[in-house]
Structure formats: C-alpha cells, structure tokens
Amino acid sequence: MGLSFLAPVRAILENRREGLYCIPGDFYVDPVRRVPRAIITHGHADHARTGHETVLATPQTIAIMQARSGRNCAGRFEPLDYGKPLCINDVTVTLRPAGHVLGSAQVVMEYKGYRIVAPGDFKRSPDPTCAPFEPVSCHCFITEATFGLPLFQLPPVEDELAKLMQSLRLFPQCTHVLLAYSLGKAQQLIALLRRQGLVDPILVHPSVWDVCQVYEAFGVAMGVLEKLPQNPSREKNMRGIAVMPPGRGSIGLGELFGNHRTVGASGWLHTSKGRKQRTCDLPLVISDHADWPELLRTIEETHAETVLVTHGPDAALKRALHGGPVNCAGLTEL
C-alpha cells in the first residue's frame, strides 16, 4: 500500500520550508518563516512567529502575541472566535479549543468533504486558565508527539500540586520559587494555587506579569500579583511565593529571596534524565502537553483514518497504531 493513503491529504497540504501549507486555501499553519497569510494555533514563540503579513488566530492568541512581541508584530490581525466557520478561498476553517494555553486552537480545515485537524500543541489534563480540548471528528489528524513514548504516563496534576502544598506547610520560612514558562505554565500554577485557597500576593517576573495581564483581560482571575523589578538582584530578601521563567530562575536567587526552595514544573521531570537536566528542590511533573495515554485516546476520539505526527518522535506511535484502523506517517512524509 505504501503511503497511498496520503493522497487526499497531499491534495490539500504541503510541508514546505516555511511550514505547513494549505494549497487550496493559500495559507500556512504555524509557519516558521514570514508568509503572506498565517493561521497561528497559540502564542508560544515556536508557533507564533512574527512578521507575517496577515495573522488569523483567536482573540486571546492575538493579544498574547502583541503583549509578548509588540502590537505591530504582524502586518494585520484577523481574530476568529472558537466555533465560527470562515471560508478562505475554497477551504472552510474553524478553530476549536486545544487546551494548551489561553486561546490555543485546533485548526479545522474542510475541503470538498475532507476534514483535516491541525491542533498544534494540546493537552487533556484539567487547566482552569484555558478552554478544555474538544475532540473533533476528522479524516486526518495531525498530532504532536512531544511525549510520544510509552514511558510518559504522567501523574494527575492534583497529586503533583499536593506536593507543593505540603512543601508550603513544611517550609513556611522559605520562599518557594516556581520555575515556569511565562506563558501557560506560570498562569496554570498561579490559578491552581488560588483554587487551594492561597490569597497572599504572588511575586512574578515581568515577563510573567505581562502575560497575566492578558489572562486577566479575558476573565481568568490571577489574584493579587506583585511584579518583580527589572533588575531584581538589587533587592534583598524578597519574601513569598514567586514565579519566574526557568532560564532566569537560577540567577541570584539567594540574594533575591534569601532562604528559598526552587520548584520545577515540567513533564520532562517524569524521567531521571529530565530531573538531572532541570535541577530543583521540588520537581513537579506538570505538563502542558498530552502524555502517551492521552495521545492514543485523542487519536481514537477523532475517528481519524489518517494520522500525521509532528513535534516529537513518531516511531512509537506508528508501532502502536500499526495493524489497526488508522494509517500513520510522519509529517515529513507529506
């Protein structure tokens, strides 16, 4: 049979150097180079590149892009709400929640009765800061595979959060420094702490602060936040819970917070290799990507007859789907 099952997909999509290109619609999905028209799934920088002539995305994603990269980071923005179909040339485009971060969207493309869903990054675990993932029935599903290995069967978020709450009780004299990405993970942790009853002000890095303001503008309560100064090393012994990006979290924390504990939050902390690479006092296995069981469940729920894999290893998924009703190939095989 070879890859003949990709024939209807290849009539609609091409994998170009700029990124995933919809041929009849004449647009790209999350392109990596500047293009005339882009549909952006969510605001993380590896998906939301700047400089496109026209960007179509959810209003939340557009606001996040402008907050992080400037109001003129694209020539023109075209907001599209979840569930509202838009005809682009001969392709009907609809955005559906992806559950990854605020505003993250699956791009649903329908052309001559054939439906393709490109979700970008997605997660299935509960998150109070964004709309939950909605499975969409389709002919072809383009899944990420960040955690596309059977070993990534991650614990419930509630169990990991309980570890943090216990640490707060056991070490009340320590500032707990949560090392979390400025977009998504930081807001999720803040919201989860608020749900546990924490009402005290939370210190946040300026990059986290900017994104939190966007979340607040779209109705996601963050509680009382205090922005750390641009040059926090000049301050001494700031107290309380703090949220900082991982790349900057190890710089001068002793001077800044005095007695403190670093708290990591990542799906990669599920493995010993990940824990060695991301040294912290308290590792929490909290991810904003689907783990292995969730990937398989999502593929089943889409009823897709063809699955393309991107952003991660595809060999294990191909083996898992081999012999079943689903045809599976890497995106590069387009």
Side-chain angles (χ1 to χ4, degrees):
M1 182 177 64
L3 295 177
S4 60
F5 63 87
L6 290 179
V9 183
R10 287 173 172 154
I12 302 173
L13 296 180
E14 285 182 357
N15 194 19
R16 296 183 173 181
R17 55 177 288 186
E18 293 87 354
L20 189 63
Y21 177 66
C22 179
I23 302 166
D26 191 25
F27 59 79
Y28 291 82
V29 178
D30 289 350
V32 298
R33 290 182 171 86
R34 295 180 181 182
V35 298
R37 188 180 182 95
I39 299 179
I40 302 300
T41 61
H42 65 280
H44 281 142
D46 58 333
H47 292 255
R49 310 281 177 160
T50 61
H52 306 306
E53 293 181 21
T54 298
V55 163
L56 184 147
T58 62
Q60 298 92 329
T61 293
I62 291 172
I64 288 170
M65 289 181 66
Q66 291 178 326
R68 303 185 87 200
S69 303
R71 297 197 62 82
N72 298 317
C73 60
R76 185 173 74 93
F77 286 101
E78 187 175 352
L80 184 64
D81 291 325
Y82 291 134
K84 184 178 180 180
L86 175 68
C87 188
I88 304 178
N89 298 325
D90 293 325
V91 179
T92 299
V93 173
T94 311
L95 302 182
R96 296 287 185 181
H100 182 54
V101 298
L102 179 70
S104 60
Q106 306 174 71
V107 181
V108 183
M109 297 165 278
E110 297 184 66
Y111 178 67
K112 293 184 176 180
Y114 194 88
R115 180 182 293 171
I116 298 174
V117 175
D121 293 336
F122 66 94
K123 75 170 181 288
R124 303 301 302 270
S125 58
D127 183 342
T129 68
C130 63
F133 181 94
E134 292 182 3
V136 179
S137 294
C138 58
H139 300 91
C140 176
F141 184 68
I142 305 174
T143 184
E144 66 148 305
T146 302
F147 295 124
L149 294 171
L151 67 91
F152 286 108
Q153 300 189 38
L154 308 185
V157 173
E158 296 80 5
D159 292 354
E160 296 302 288
L161 184 64
K163 298 176 184 178
L164 174 57
M165 300 308 297
Q166 182 183 37
S167 181
L168 291 171
R169 291 190 295 269
L170 291 176
F171 303 97
Q173 76 284 6
C174 290
T175 298
H176 283 67
V177 183
L178 312 186
L179 305 178
Y181 291 120
S182 299
L183 166 58
K185 191 69 66 64
Q187 291 73 34
Q188 181 186 15
L189 288 172
I190 291 170
L192 290 172
L193 285 168
R194 297 307 189 196
R195 286 198 167 189
Q196 291 294 318
L198 181 72
V199 296
D200 295 337
I202 295 177
L203 304 168
V204 296
H205 187 273
S207 64
V208 176
W209 171 275
D210 292 342
V211 178
C212 286
Q213 302 312 298
V214 177
Y215 273 59
E216 287 272 6
F218 284 95
V220 182
M222 293 281 99
V224 180
L225 305 178
E226 293 183 3
K227 182 164 65 170
L228 287 165
Q230 289 287 347
N231 299 305
S233 60
R234 298 175 183 175
E235 303 292 329
K236 297 291 182 181
N237 295 321
M238 302 181 70
R239 307 299 298 171
I241 294 176
V243 183
M244 301 185 69
R248 303 171 191 177
S250 61
I251 301 175
L253 290 183
E255 292 185 5
L256 181 57
F257 299 111
N259 193 11
H260 68 279
R261 299 197 82 202
T262 54
V263 182
S266 171
W268 298 110
L269 293 171
H270 186 60
T271 67
S272 57
K273 180 180 179 181
R275 289 190 291 272
K276 289 178 182 178
Q277 293 176 339
R278 295 166 173 80
T279 304
C280 56
D281 298 314
L282 177 61
L284 302 180
V285 183
I286 297 178
S287 175
D288 50 14
H289 296 268
D291 68 0
W292 176 257
E294 291 169 340
L295 288 172
L296 296 179
R297 174 164 66 94
T298 300
I299 291 170
E300 181 180 359
E301 290 174 346
T302 65
H303 307 292
E305 60 193 29
T306 297
V307 172
L308 300 180
V309 185
T310 183
H311 291 105
D314 62 7
L317 273 174
K318 286 181 179 179
R319 287 194 297 269
L321 299 175
H322 180 71
V326 179
N327 297 303
C328 187
L331 188 61
T332 54
E333 294 176 276
L334 270 184

